[in-house]
């Protein structure tokens, strides 16, 4: 295929994507029984539903909000995976062991080894599964804590979350998988210790939906101040990047049937969130991954910008300056399409020169010029003598105009949740599986240890979403056999 034809093909795909608008299933079509009930319509729930449907089940997706996609729609950087053909196409030789090691170290060596092993050995399969559905993540970037380029994203460099949800919804639409919004699951139902349905509330009316298994894909509790401060009182008053629906409903549902909770005090604060406006906007890690630096009010760098989120957050907090400033140029902006959106909503300050940019944000011009010059030399030499940064050094800050975004830390992700095994069974306090109940995504605790690496949440939704769909199918298949 010629480059011209390739561009035409990509342009046509963009036009088709722009035309697609998913419509939730009309509530009048809600039935009282499905093979599989999936609670939550983020990346995990959508992936689980598609996988289960492909195995022959009749799943339903129940979403409490009017909007679809949950926190997944807010993800911007990409999806981590190792030993992929995409990496080899970019001449990146990686290993699953290196992926495991980076994530283990990044999580303070507190990650659940069983979950982490499954996660790091199934990323490439998840990338291939997406590609087989026409969802191609064929470009690479990097995030804090990763030693090589393994954060996969679309070649359009569109923010991963909205892209993934839209593409998965196309599959849901194509396969006629029912997806209902404004349906609040209030209770998990049990029969002789096995989960066999849910009690729901629709427009104030309660009803029951039966199912052979239930998958909880409800996300975390980053938008629930009461629950956050219960486990982390030190985070009282912090703003959040989470969607309004991330209130920990699934954790409450699972706890009520005896599920064990793990790592509930492990809450990630994202270092780069623009929060000078009424609504906080997460500035994705890809901005730093493509070469941006952070400076303080003295116009100097103060941290390895691609250290783990936990360490970068700590460095910003230690400044006691109400945040810091991301500094980047047009070359970096060209590599992160989300910046166009950030600019559109008024988060970006522009200067035709470094000096002009400095004056616009109240920093000393000569100091910022010197800081950028020192950084550019570090990039040229591939040797950051100041902070030992080794990744995100592929381009200097030299191409005008130049840009700045003021950022400060905000609550972003909850690493804790219900205890699961690598088969996504929800476990009780004795470590035994609760029959018929599965969980995947941010609702589950243990995978990330005390710090989640950027790009691992989207990977988790697809990897464990697929696993939940497969294991629910296996469970239901065994039920059918035992009833014959």
């Amino acid at each position: 295929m010629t480059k011209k034809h390739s561009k035409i093909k990509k342009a046509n795909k963009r036009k088709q994507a722009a035309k697609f608008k998913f419509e939730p299933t009309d509530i009048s079509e809600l039935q009282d029984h499905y093979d599989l009930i999936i609670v939550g319509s983020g990346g995990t729930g959508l992936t689980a539903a598609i996988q289960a449907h492909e195995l022959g089940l009749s799943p339903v997706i129940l979403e409490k909000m009017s909007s679809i996609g949950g926190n997944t729609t807010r993800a911007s950087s990409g999806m981590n995976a190792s030993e992929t053909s995409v990496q080899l196409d970019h001449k990146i030789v990686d290993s699953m062991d290196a992926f495991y090691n980076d994530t283990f170290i990044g999580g303070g060596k507190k990650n659940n080894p069983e979950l982490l092993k499954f996660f790091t050995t199934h990323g490439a399969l998840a990338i291939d599964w997406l590609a087989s559905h026409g969802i191609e993540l064929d470009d690479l970037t990097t995030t804090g804590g990763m030693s090589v380029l393994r954060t996969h994203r679309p070649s359009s460099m569109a923010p991963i979350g909205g892209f993934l949800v839209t593409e998965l919804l196309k599959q849901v639409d194509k396969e006629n998988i029912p997806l209902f919004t404004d349906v609040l699951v209030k209770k998990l139902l049990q029969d002789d210790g096995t989960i066999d349905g849910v009690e729901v509330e629709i427009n104030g009316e309660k009803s029951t939906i039966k199912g052979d298994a239930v998958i909880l894909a409800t996300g975390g509790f980053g938008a629930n101040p009461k629950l956050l401060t219960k486990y982390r009182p030190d985070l009282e008053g912090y703003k959040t990047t989470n969607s309004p629906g991330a209130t920990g409903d699934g954790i409450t549902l699972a706890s009520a049937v005896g599920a064990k909770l793990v790592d509930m005090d492990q809450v990630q604060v994202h270092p780069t969130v623009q929060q000078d406006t009424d609504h906080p906007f997460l500035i994705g890690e890809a901005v730093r991954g493509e070469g941006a630096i952070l400076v303080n009010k003295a116009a100097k760098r103060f941290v390895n910008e691609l250290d783990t989120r936990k360490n970068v957050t700590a460095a910003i907090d230690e400044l006691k300056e109400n945040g810091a400033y991301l500094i980047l140029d047009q070359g970096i902006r060209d590599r992160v399409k989300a910046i166009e959106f950030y600019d559109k909503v008024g988060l970006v300050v522009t200067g035709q020169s470094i000096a002009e940019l400095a004056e616009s944000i109240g920093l000393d011009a000569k100091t910022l010029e010197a800081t950028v010059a020192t950084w550019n030399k570090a990039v040229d030499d591939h040797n950051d003598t100041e902070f030992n940064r080794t990744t995100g050094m592929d381009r200097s800050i030299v191409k005008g105009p130049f840009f700045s975004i003021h950022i400060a830390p905000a609550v972003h992700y909850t690493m804790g949740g219900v205890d699961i095994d690598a088969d996504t069974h929800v476990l009780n306090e004795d470590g035994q599986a609760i029959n018929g109940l599965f969980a995947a995504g941010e609702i589950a605790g243990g995978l990330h240890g005390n710090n989640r690496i950027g790009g691992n949440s989207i990977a988790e939704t697809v990897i464990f979403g697929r696993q939940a769909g497969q294991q629910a199918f296996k469970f239901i298949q065994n039920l059918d056999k035992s009833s014959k």
Side-chain angles (χ1 to χ4, degrees), residues 371-446:
T371 295
V372 171
T374 300
W375 168 249
N376 288 341
K377 187 177 188 307
V379 172
D380 292 341
D381 296 343
H382 251 275
N383 182 21
D384 176 20
T385 57
E386 289 187 299
F387 298 101
N388 299 312
R389 177 167 160 178
T390 58
T391 56
M393 300 180 71
D394 295 326
R395 54 193 59 80
S396 306
I397 300 175
V398 293
K399 183 180 179 182
F402 301 89
F403 310 99
S404 175
I405 304 174
H406 183 243
I407 56 82
V411 169
H412 180 53
Y413 193 90
T414 50
M415 277 80 73
V418 300
D419 195 15
I420 65 168
D421 61 19
D423 289 332
T424 69
H425 298 117
V426 175
L427 306 178
N428 63 19
E429 292 288 349
D430 297 323
Q432 300 300 308
I434 299 173
N435 284 336
L437 186 60
F438 303 83
E442 194 175 352
I443 182 180

Side-chain angles (χ1 to χ4, degrees), residues 158-443:
I160 185 68
F163 172 83
L164 183 62
V165 168
T166 297
E167 295 302 314
L168 290 173
L169 283 174
K170 287 179 183 177
Q171 299 297 317
V172 169
D173 188 59
K174 176 185 171 187
E175 301 300 331
N176 294 313
I177 298 171
L179 190 165
F180 297 93
T181 56
D182 299 302
V183 177
L184 177 62
V185 176
K186 300 284 289 183
K187 183 179 180 182
L188 295 173
L189 304 177
Q190 282 181 299
D191 180 24
D192 196 25
T194 297
I195 302 299
D196 69 342
V198 295
E199 180 184 283
V200 300
E201 184 178 292
I202 305 167
N203 296 324
E205 297 288 329
K206 290 184 179 179
S207 60
T208 296
I209 304 171
K210 289 288 189 173
D212 297 327
V214 173
I215 296 174
L216 296 175
T218 53
F221 57 97
N224 186 332
K226 186 176 180 180
L227 202 54
L228 277 170
T229 53
K230 174 182 177 181
Y231 292 101
R232 287 289 301 276
D234 58 307
L235 295 180
E236 185 174 3
Y238 267 68
K239 292 184 178 180
T240 182
T241 66
N242 284 237
S243 65
T247 53
D249 295 19
I251 292 171
T252 303
L253 291 170
S255 297
V257 294
K260 180 183 178 182
L261 304 184
V262 295
D263 297 344
M264 290 295 286
D265 62 338
Q266 299 300 328
V267 177
Q268 182 172 81
V269 176
H270 196 288
T272 57
V273 179
Q274 212 291 348
Q275 44 193 285
D276 299 330
T277 56
D278 291 338
H279 175 75
F281 288 91
L282 183 142
I283 309 302
E285 211 149 11
V287 177
R288 285 170 285 146
E290 293 298 335
I293 59 172
L294 281 166
V295 301
N296 56 22
K297 286 186 176 179
K300 296 180 179 180
R301 289 178 67 216
F302 57 92
V303 69
N304 170 359
E305 294 85 355
L306 286 172
D307 201 338
T308 62
R309 290 175 173 178
K310 185 176 183 179
N311 290 344
V312 178
T313 292
I316 295 171
D317 284 343
E318 285 170 11
L319 294 174
K320 301 188 185 305
E321 296 178 352
N322 191 32
Y325 299 87
L326 278 165
I327 304 296
L328 56 141
D329 71 348
Q330 187 62 48
I332 295 167
R333 179 168 175 155
D334 290 342
R335 292 283 300 165
V336 188
K337 296 302 181 186
I339 297 172
E340 302 300 325
F341 170 75
Y342 303 150
D343 199 355
K344 186 178 179 181
V345 296
L347 310 182
V348 180
V349 176
T350 303
Q352 295 307 309
S353 65
I354 293 292
E356 182 181 311
L357 180 66
E359 290 170 7
S360 297
I361 57 178
L363 302 185
D364 181 75
K366 288 186 178 179
T367 305
L368 186 59
E369 285 176 329
T371 295
V372 171
T374 300
W375 168 249
N376 288 341
K377 187 177 188 307
V379 172
D380 292 341
D381 296 343
H382 251 275
N383 182 21
D384 176 20
T385 57
E386 289 187 299
F387 298 101
N388 299 312
R389 177 167 160 178
T390 58
T391 56
M393 300 180 71
D394 295 326
R395 54 193 59 80
S396 306
I397 300 175
V398 293
K399 183 180 179 182
F402 301 89
F403 310 99
S404 175
I405 304 174
H406 183 243
I407 56 82
V411 169
H412 180 53
Y413 193 90
T414 50
M415 277 80 73
V418 300
D419 195 15
I420 65 168
D421 61 19
D423 289 332
T424 69
H425 298 117
V426 175
L427 306 178
N428 63 19
E429 292 288 349
D430 297 323
Q432 300 300 308
I434 299 173
N435 284 336
L437 186 60
F438 303 83
E442 194 175 352
I443 182 180

